[in-house]
């Protein structure tokens, strides 16, 4: 019967380690496609991810810069679980895009995943999203996100500074930002006087930037 045939095909795919790189959905046998999707008999290529988001997730307007956000919006699906299992392969896919605009919560999920550090660093290099709370990610990655991917808050600045001090990355953050320090908040930190002294003494920012701070 049909169920028996599908089971045989699944066994065959497993035995031969068959993984599809692309599928013509219009011409494909839909039951076979469901098997390929459900049992992860495909490579995580851009085309396959886009196909699943369109035909399974039913997303009409897919933003290629937010593929992880799209996929993980349904965390119990085979696609989401497959991505989580082989996250490095997926990061190879998404970092082929010119930029990445994943939602903050999914950025944090990726940066706290079991992906290789080099994969995370490559992901950050393409990332436009600002991380709202720096302490939500592993501190080993702070130096990679602080200069352009950290939200402009006193809390984030002082969280970073307390751990690493007045680094070149933090100075770059100030150069790239329009933040005006809220001294009422800053004074709540025990090391605020050391921070202010380091900021003044570093001498690596323009006078206009010091005036803004």
């Amino acid at each position: 019967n049909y169920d028996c045939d599908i089971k045989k095909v699944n066994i065959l795919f497993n035995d031969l380690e068959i993984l599809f790189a692309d599928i013509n959905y219009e011409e494909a046998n839909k039951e076979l496609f469901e098997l390929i999707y459900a049992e992860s008999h495909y490579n995580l290529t851009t085309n396959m991810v886009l196909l699943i988001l369109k035909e399974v997730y039913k997303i009409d307007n897919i933003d290629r810069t937010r593929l992880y956000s799209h996929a993980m919006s349904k965390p119990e699906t085979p696609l989401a679980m497959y991505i989580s299992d082989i996250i490095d392969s997926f990061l190879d896919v998404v970092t082929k895009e010119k930029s990445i605009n994943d939602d903050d919560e999914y950025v944090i999920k990726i940066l706290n995943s079991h992906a290789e550090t080099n994969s995370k660093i490559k992901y950050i290099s393409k990332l436009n999203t600002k991380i709202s709370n720096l302490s939500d990610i592993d501190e080993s990655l702070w130096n990679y996100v602080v200069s352009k991917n950290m939200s402009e808050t006193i809390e984030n600045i002082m969280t970073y500074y307390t751990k690493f001090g007045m680094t070149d990355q933090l100075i770059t953050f100030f150069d790239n930002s329009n933040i005006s320090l809220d001294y009422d908040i800053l004074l709540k930190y025990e090391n605020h006087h050391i921070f202010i002294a380091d900021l003044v003494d570093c001498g690596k920012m323009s006078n206009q930037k010091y005036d803004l701070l």
Side-chain angles (χ1 to χ4, degrees):
N1 63 27
Y2 172 77
D3 288 339
C4 183
D5 289 342
I6 285 293
K7 288 179 181 178
K8 288 181 180 179
V9 171
N10 189 37
I11 292 170
L12 180 65
F13 283 171
N14 282 324
D15 288 346
L16 297 179
E17 298 181 352
I18 293 174
L19 296 174
F20 291 85
D22 200 2
I23 294 174
N24 185 333
Y25 185 79
E26 297 303 320
E27 298 181 5
N29 178 290
K30 300 306 183 285
E31 289 81 8
L32 186 58
F33 173 80
E34 287 296 327
L35 170 68
I36 292 168
Y37 168 61
E39 298 296 330
S40 301
H41 293 307
Y42 62 94
N43 286 314
L44 278 177
T45 62
T46 300
N47 285 344
M48 283 302 301
V49 173
L50 291 173
L51 176 62
I52 292 167
L53 292 177
K54 178 182 178 182
E55 301 298 343
V56 179
Y57 281 57
K58 303 300 182 183
I59 299 175
D60 293 326
N61 299 309
I62 300 171
D63 183 349
R64 291 174 65 116
T65 71
R66 298 178 62 250
L67 292 182
Y68 187 74
S69 298
H70 286 318
M72 301 309 291
S73 66
K74 298 182 179 180
E76 302 302 320
T77 60
L79 174 61
M81 291 187 284
Y82 190 28
I83 287 171
S84 295
D85 286 343
I86 55 171
I87 186 66
D88 285 288
S89 296
F90 183 74
L91 291 180
D92 284 341
V93 171
V94 298
T95 53
K96 289 180 172 65
E97 302 296 329
K98 291 183 179 179
S99 63
I100 298 170
N101 296 301
D102 280 317
D103 300 338
D104 180 47
E105 64 176 297
Y106 298 117
V107 172
I108 292 168
K109 189 175 180 68
I110 281 184
L111 298 184
N112 289 334
S113 73
H114 60 82
E116 295 288 337
T117 299
N118 286 341
S119 297
K120 295 177 182 180
I121 293 171
K122 188 174 181 181
Y123 175 83
I124 292 167
S125 72
K126 298 291 186 76
L127 187 65
N128 291 326
T129 308
K130 300 289 186 182
I131 296 170
S132 56
N133 189 346
L134 187 66
S135 61
D136 283 341
I137 66 171
D138 190 280
E139 61 188 35
S140 65
L141 295 171
W142 289 3
N143 279 320
Y144 298 100
V145 305
V146 64
S147 59
K148 73 177 183 71
N149 297 113
M150 182 176 77
S151 290
E152 299 176 354
T153 67
I154 300 294
E155 290 80 6
N156 280 340
I157 292 168
M158 295 307 294
T159 295
Y160 177 86
Y161 174 80
T162 300
K163 179 65 180 180
F164 291 107
M166 192 59 64
T167 62
D168 287 341
Q169 290 92 333
L170 186 56
I171 292 168
T172 300
F173 163 81
F174 282 118
D175 277 336
N176 293 337
S177 75
N178 294 312
I179 190 170
S180 180
L181 296 179
D182 186 330
Y183 286 90
D184 288 336
I185 297 177
L186 185 59
L187 293 176
K188 295 177 182 178
Y189 290 86
E190 291 183 5
N191 58 343
H192 70 271
H193 55 291
I194 303 174
F195 168 78
I196 294 171
D198 281 351
L199 189 60
V200 172
D201 292 344
C202 77
K204 294 184 178 181
M205 293 184 290
S206 66
N207 290 335
Q208 291 90 338
K209 185 62 65 174
Y210 279 114
D211 289 341
L212 178 62
L213 297 175

